[in-house]
């Protein structure tokens, strides 16, 4: 909220000096300004931006890279995000959410039964993504197996 308030009071591009670690930080609240700065080879960039690929294990990917190969990949992805596809995905999201409310949430409310909201939201999110993006309706057994594997993987490598 602080940075949002600063840009509202000082403009779309402003410079801040933080006491620690004695660095000057530029804040751009406009996507077009940010794109111009980040794609301009003559602009000075933070070392953290130069090492952005560390976040993706050093693998260039089409959301963060430039050049013909990546422009070609982004252009190939564009139809998946066309207006009609977004509308279809929106309808799937609403339908899956309504289905969850009718088939799961109402039962919990009526019975007074406690439930794991995290599990329910992950399950709902997974079903929305699979149906909206891949037009695949995953069976309950598949979903449970996937969630078990995901839990084991996250427990082993992250937490």
């Amino acid at each position: 909220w602080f940075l949002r308030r600063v840009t509202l009071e000082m403009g779309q591009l402003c410079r801040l000096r933080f006491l620690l670690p004695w660095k000057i930080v530029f804040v751009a609240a406009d996507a077009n300004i940010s794109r111009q700065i980040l794609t301009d080879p003559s602009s000075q960039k933070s070392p953290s931006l130069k090492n952005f690929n560390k976040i993706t294990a050093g693998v260039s990917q089409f959301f963060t890279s430039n050049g013909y190969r990546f422009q070609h990949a982004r252009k190939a992805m564009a139809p998946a995000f066309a207006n009609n596809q977004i509308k279809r995905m929106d309808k799937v999201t609403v339908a899956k959410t309504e289905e969850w409310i009718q088939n799961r949430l109402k039962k919990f409310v009526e019975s007074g039964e406690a439930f794991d909201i995290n599990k329910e939201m992950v399950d709902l999110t997974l079903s929305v993504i699979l149906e909206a993006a891949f037009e695949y309706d995953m069976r309950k057994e598949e979903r449970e197996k996937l969630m078990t594997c995901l839990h084991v993987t996250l427990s082993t490598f992250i937490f």
Side-chain angles (χ1 to χ4, degrees):
W1 296 104
F2 168 74
L3 293 177
R4 178 69 178 137
R5 195 177 83 226
V6 166
T7 57
L8 287 173
E9 292 176 11
M10 298 179 69
Q12 295 296 309
L13 182 64
C14 56
R15 183 178 69 173
L16 304 173
R17 181 183 294 274
F18 291 103
L19 295 177
L20 294 174
W22 296 97
K23 291 186 176 183
I24 295 175
V25 176
F26 291 89
V27 178
D30 181 274
N32 292 327
I33 293 172
S34 297
R35 178 180 293 278
Q36 287 174 350
I37 292 169
L38 292 172
T39 57
D40 183 357
S42 67
S43 69
Q44 290 183 335
K45 296 169 186 71
S46 164
S48 62
L49 286 175
K50 292 177 184 173
N51 295 323
F52 184 77
N53 279 341
K54 286 183 180 178
I55 295 171
T56 59
V59 177
S60 294
Q61 44 123 344
F62 65 86
F63 288 117
T64 59
S65 299
N66 288 314
Y68 172 77
R69 178 174 176 253
F70 301 104
Q71 289 172 344
H72 179 73
R74 286 192 293 269
K75 187 175 180 179
M77 292 291 295
F81 298 98
N83 191 35
N84 63 330
Q85 292 297 330
I86 297 297
K87 286 180 180 178
R88 183 190 60 76
M89 289 184 228
D90 184 51
K91 288 178 184 176
V92 168
T93 304
V94 170
K96 287 286 184 183
T97 304
E98 288 294 330
E99 178 183 316
W100 179 80
I101 290 169
Q102 296 300 320
N103 297 335
R104 302 284 295 159
L105 184 60
K106 282 191 176 183
K107 289 180 182 176
F108 290 129
V109 170
E110 289 168 0
S111 69
E113 179 185 351
F115 65 98
D116 183 349
I117 190 68
N118 183 51
K119 180 188 175 303
E120 293 293 325
M121 289 296 102
V122 169
D123 192 46
L124 175 62
T125 302
L126 183 60
S127 66
V128 166
I129 291 171
L130 288 171
E131 177 70 28
F134 304 107
E135 297 181 20
Y136 182 75
D137 193 16
M138 185 178 262
R139 295 186 324 267
K140 183 179 178 182
E141 302 82 32
E142 290 176 303
R143 193 169 21 256
E144 287 173 358
K145 185 170 184 171
L146 177 65
M147 294 311 298
T148 300
C149 292
L150 182 61
H151 176 73
V152 169
T153 303
L154 291 174
S155 299
T156 303
F157 295 107
I158 296 179
F159 300 107

